[in-house]
């Protein structure tokens, strides 16, 4: 039992589970893959939470199959960045937050911690909205009590922490399959234009245009929302920590190579499933409902549309809808999706708090803190629209969720750029340094994402409708200048920190040389 709510810590990442899971020796490929399977599922959860539902379904409703390529590109980016994050954790035995903090001063460390905490809260807002709406739809619980009830998912967390980390991985994997099956079933009943869907996988300039604006979003805003909901900063921190749960002999290069290899395969398999789920969500938005039939694209509107036979595209869907199965399955999957992220969001919060400011909290307290802060904007949104129409309330919640996902895209460079600098450094990573092709793709992705986010920021601030257009744009340009300054500051400190590691021979390259010398002596 913790004696205090806050305790100082500067040890191994997630010390309770670090290096705790046995891996069989001299086993075949499939047995080894099974042993390493699990961390990828916890990471993939973040790629199919309610925030992804909002951005993907809304994208399908508004622009049909045009944003399929955005989902594909963001999924490929995610695979590349998650590979780098996992590799960083395995090779350096530090998570991303620890690695950044080792190279930066305390002031910048605190700033980056605050930015990452806000990103986690933005993710949690989507989970609060999704879970609360699911409770409302399934059990007719009013929205305010439903939002408050989501705070008590800490009880689920407490239960899961008692069953062991390997079982948590299995539970999460099963819930992912449930979500996949639900949407595969609903899309299978629809008349999907598969030719257009596959053509939509080819990128065009349409996905970054500022017009047309449909349902409050443009193709660019929709793309950034999808990217923000897919390539999320907290997943990079999480993966760099939980990739260290398998027992690895760090004095054996072959053991490290094996862990990196199978962890990468696990990650790519799980993220492929996440891509399929997000593609199904967009296809559902485009093909399950008649064009222009759904005026309310919020979760409420989609739930009721799945009960309305006049809005569905074919008689088979309409026949199943009469039984209520389509809408019920939708709400169940929504609830499962929100709850599925409980453990991962809490673990990530612990990782960044311990890594950046060296403070440790009990998981239940950490969850209550994050969720308690996240419900505030949701309750305010509900309160401000209580006198409006039902459609206005639904639209407000949907826009809150959309904009929370866009914020994640702004926070992303503060984790991606340090990750790239560190994993591109031979002194830090040795033979596990990123290959030139991954460096080019990594930097290309990071620079494109950063540019598009800053380019769209004025339009995003204007879309909030909280202030006059001129003031909104002025604030946006001030924020752009601040973000640019913080990114430059971060990159400079990370670069200088890496130079010290090289000069002091404290990175993995020096250790690698010693391991090779020891192997030659023993040989």
């Amino acid at each position: 039992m913790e004696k205090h709510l806050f305790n100082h810590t500067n040890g191994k990442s997630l010390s309770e589970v670090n290096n705790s899971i046995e891996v069989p020796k001299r086993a075949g490929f499939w047995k080894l893959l099974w042993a390493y399977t699990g961390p990828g599922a916890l990471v993939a959860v973040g790629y199919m939470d309610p925030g992804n539902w909002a951005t993907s379904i809304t994208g399908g409703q508004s622009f049909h199959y045009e944003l399929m390529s955005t989902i594909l590109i963001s999924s490929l980016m995610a695979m590349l960045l998650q590979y780098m994050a996992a590799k960083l954790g395995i090779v350096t035995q530090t998570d991303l937050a620890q690695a950044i903090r080792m190279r930066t001063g305390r002031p910048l460390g605190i700033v980056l911690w605050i930015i990452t905490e806000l990103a986690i809260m933005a993710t949690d807002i989507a989970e609060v909205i999704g879970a609360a709406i699911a409770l409302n739809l399934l059990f007719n619980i009013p929205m305010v009590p439903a939002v408050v009830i989501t705070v008590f998912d800490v009880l689920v967390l407490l239960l899961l922490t008692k069953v062991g980390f390997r079982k948590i991985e299995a539970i999460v994997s099963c819930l992912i399959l449930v979500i996949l099956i639900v949407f595969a079933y609903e899309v299978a009943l629809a008349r999907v234009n598969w030719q257009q869907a596959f053509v939509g996988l080819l990128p065009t300039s349409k996905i970054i245009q500022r017009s047309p604006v449909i349902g409050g979003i443009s193709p660019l805003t929709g793309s950034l929302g999808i990217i923000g909901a897919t390539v999320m900063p907290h997943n990079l921190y999480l993966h760099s920590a939980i990739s260290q749960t398998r027992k690895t002999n760090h004095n054996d290069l072959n053991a490290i190579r094996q862990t990196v290899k199978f962890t990468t395969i696990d990650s790519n398999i799980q993220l492929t499933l996440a891509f399929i789920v997000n593609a199904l969500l967009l296809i559902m938005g485009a093909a399950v409902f008649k064009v222009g039939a759904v005026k309310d694209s919020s979760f409420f509107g989609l739930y009721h549309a799945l009960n309305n036979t006049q809005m569905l595209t074919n008689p088979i869907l309409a026949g199943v809808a009469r039984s209520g199965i389509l809408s019920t399955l939708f709400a169940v999957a929504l609830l499962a999706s929100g709850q599925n992220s409980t453990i991962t969001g809490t673990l990530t919060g612990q990782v960044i708090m311990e890594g950046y400011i060296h403070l440790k909290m009990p998981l239940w307290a950490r969850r209550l803190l994050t969720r308690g802060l996240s419900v505030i904007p949701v309750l305010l949104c509900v309160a401000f629209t209580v006198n409006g129409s039902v459609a206005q309330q639904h639209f407000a919640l949907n826009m809150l969720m959309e904009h929370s996902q866009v914020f994640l895209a702004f926070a992303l460079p503060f984790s991606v750029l340090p990750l790239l600098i560190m994993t591109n450094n031979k002194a830090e990573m040795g033979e596990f340094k990123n290959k030139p092709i991954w460096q080019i793709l990594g930097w290309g992705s990071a620079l494109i994402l950063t540019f598009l986010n800053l380019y769209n920021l004025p339009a995003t601030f204007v879309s909030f409708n909280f202030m006059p257009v001129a003031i909104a744009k002025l604030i946006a340009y001030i924020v752009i200048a601040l973000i640019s300054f913080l990114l430059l500051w971060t990159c400079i400190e990370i670069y200088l920190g890496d130079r010290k590691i090289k000069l002091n021979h404290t990175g993995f390259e020096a250790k690698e040389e010693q391991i090779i010398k020891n192997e030659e002596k023993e040989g």
Side-chain angles (χ1 to χ4, degrees):
M1 177 178 284
E2 301 282 351
K3 293 182 179 179
H4 304 285
L5 189 60
F6 294 97
N7 293 277
H8 181 269
T9 183
N10 194 18
K12 290 183 176 294
S13 179
L14 295 178
S15 56
E16 298 88 349
V17 294
N18 190 290
N19 209 42
S20 63
I21 299 175
E22 293 283 354
V23 174
K25 297 179 180 178
R26 300 183 183 87
F29 175 87
W30 295 108
K31 193 171 183 179
L32 280 172
L33 179 58
W34 177 252
Y36 284 100
T37 295
L42 294 180
V43 170
V45 163
Y47 294 89
M48 55 184 82
D49 69 0
N52 294 75
W53 291 35
T55 54
S56 296
I57 294 177
T58 303
Q61 273 283 292
S62 301
F63 308 110
H64 300 286
Y65 302 103
E66 281 184 15
L67 302 187
M68 284 285 287
S69 59
T70 303
I71 293 178
L72 176 61
I73 292 169
S74 60
S75 296
L76 293 175
M77 286 181 180
M79 290 180 184
L80 176 61
L81 296 174
Q82 294 297 162
Y83 155 70
M84 293 180 184
K87 183 172 62 173
L88 176 74
I90 294 165
V91 174
T92 67
Q93 300 182 70
T94 57
D95 60 54
L96 181 58
Q98 291 174 327
I100 292 174
R101 184 65 184 86
M102 287 167 58
R103 294 160 176 77
T104 57
R106 183 174 177 81
L108 180 58
I110 292 174
V111 170
L112 293 177
W113 170 64
I114 292 171
I115 290 172
T116 312
E117 285 283 8
L118 291 174
I120 291 176
M121 289 177 196
T123 304
D124 217 34
I125 285 172
E127 293 167 13
V128 169
I129 293 173
I133 290 175
L135 290 171
N136 175 273
L137 295 174
L138 289 170
F139 307 110
N140 294 318
I141 300 173
M143 278 302 294
V144 171
V147 170
V148 174
I149 288 172
T150 65
V151 175
F152 295 99
D153 69 0
V154 68
L155 299 175
V156 176
L157 175 64
L158 289 175
L159 177 63
L160 289 176
T161 55
K162 302 298 182 183
V163 302
F165 199 76
R166 189 69 169 148
K167 291 187 178 68
I168 290 173
E169 293 173 343
I171 292 169
V172 169
S173 297
C174 290
L175 288 172
I176 288 174
L177 287 176
V178 168
I179 296 168
L180 176 62
I181 290 169
V182 166
F183 290 115
Y185 171 70
E186 298 200 350
V187 168
L189 297 177
R191 289 174 178 169
V192 180
N193 188 327
W194 290 108
Q195 182 178 354
Q196 286 187 15
F198 283 112
V199 169
L201 292 172
L202 301 176
T204 68
S205 60
K206 291 180 180 179
I207 65 176
I208 56 172
Q209 291 180 352
R210 287 182 169 177
S211 62
V213 176
I214 302 173
I217 65 170
S218 66
L220 177 58
T221 306
S223 291
L224 288 176
I226 288 172
I227 292 169
T230 305
V231 188
M232 290 190 286
H234 76 274
N235 266 336
L236 302 176
Y237 291 95
L238 178 66
H239 209 178
S240 65
I242 61 177
S243 64
Q244 301 177 55
T245 55
R246 271 52 180 177
K247 285 189 176 179
T248 303
N249 181 2
H250 284 86
N251 293 314
D252 183 349
L253 287 177
N254 286 327
I256 299 173
R257 292 180 189 124
Q258 174 180 288
T259 302
V260 170
K261 173 185 175 181
F262 283 96
T263 301
T264 303
I265 294 173
D266 167 49
S267 174
N268 289 341
I269 290 173
Q270 304 288 356
L271 290 177
T272 299
L273 291 177
F275 161 72
I276 293 172
V277 168
N278 286 319
L280 288 173
L281 287 165
L282 187 139
I283 291 170
M284 180 179 172
V288 170
F289 310 106
K290 291 179 181 177
V291 177
V294 181
K295 304 301 181 185
D296 181 359
S297 61
S298 69
F299 289 144
F300 289 106
L302 293 168
Y303 175 86
H304 293 303
L306 286 169
N307 270 326
N308 189 336
T309 58
Q310 301 300 314
M311 291 188 177
L312 303 177
T313 54
N314 66 69
I316 297 176
L317 276 168
V320 177
R322 290 189 188 96
S323 67
I325 290 176
L326 291 182
S327 56
T328 301
L329 284 176
F330 178 82
V332 168
L334 182 60
L335 183 60
S337 178
Q339 292 306 302
N340 213 359
S341 301
T342 295
I343 186 71
T344 56
T346 307
L347 288 174
T348 307
Q350 197 67 51
V351 167
I352 66 165
M353 181 176 279
E354 291 180 17
Y356 276 127
I357 59 175
H358 301 160
L359 283 181
K360 184 181 181 70
M361 291 178 70
L363 288 179
W364 64 266
R366 171 71 216 188
R367 186 57 183 173
L368 283 178
L369 175 65
T370 304
R371 181 50 62 91
L373 291 173
S374 300
V375 301
I376 293 173
V378 183
L379 288 173
L380 288 175
C381 184
V382 173
F384 287 151
T385 58
V386 69
N387 294 323
S389 67
V390 173
Q392 288 175 326
Q393 294 174 27
H394 296 174
F395 179 79
L397 284 171
N398 214 39
M399 284 298 99
L400 174 61
M401 191 151 46
E402 287 282 340
H403 291 312
S404 73
Q405 300 307 296
V406 172
F407 173 80
L408 292 176
F410 300 141
L412 186 62
F414 292 98
S415 55
V416 172
L417 296 182
L419 177 64
L420 285 168
I421 293 171
M422 291 185 289
T423 54
N424 288 342
N425 187 343
K426 185 171 177 58
E428 177 64 38
M429 300 296 291
E431 70 173 74
F432 299 99
K433 170 189 173 183
N434 293 331
K435 294 179 180 179
I437 182 62
W438 305 137
Q439 294 183 37
I440 293 170
L441 291 174
W443 279 112
S445 300
L447 294 176
I448 290 171
L449 285 174
T450 302
F451 170 76
L452 288 177
N453 287 328
L454 297 182
Y455 171 73
N456 193 54
L457 194 58
T460 301
F461 271 58
V462 170
S463 70
F464 291 157
N465 292 322
F466 289 158
M467 61 194 82
V469 173
I471 296 177
K473 288 185 176 181
L474 176 62
I475 293 175
Y477 290 127
I478 293 173
V479 172
I480 288 173
L482 180 60
I483 290 174
S484 301
F485 168 73
L486 289 175
L487 283 175
L488 181 62
W489 183 14
T490 301
C491 290
I492 290 173
E493 288 213 10
I494 295 291
Y495 173 75
L496 293 176
D498 271 349
R499 283 192 63 185
K500 288 181 181 179
I501 287 175
K502 184 176 182 178
L503 292 173
N504 296 332
H505 302 284
T506 54
F508 184 77
E509 184 181 34
K511 182 178 180 179
E512 183 180 52
E513 292 173 356
Q514 188 59 49
I515 292 172
I516 293 172
K517 287 180 182 178
N518 292 339
E519 289 176 348
E520 289 175 349
K521 287 180 181 179
E522 293 174 1

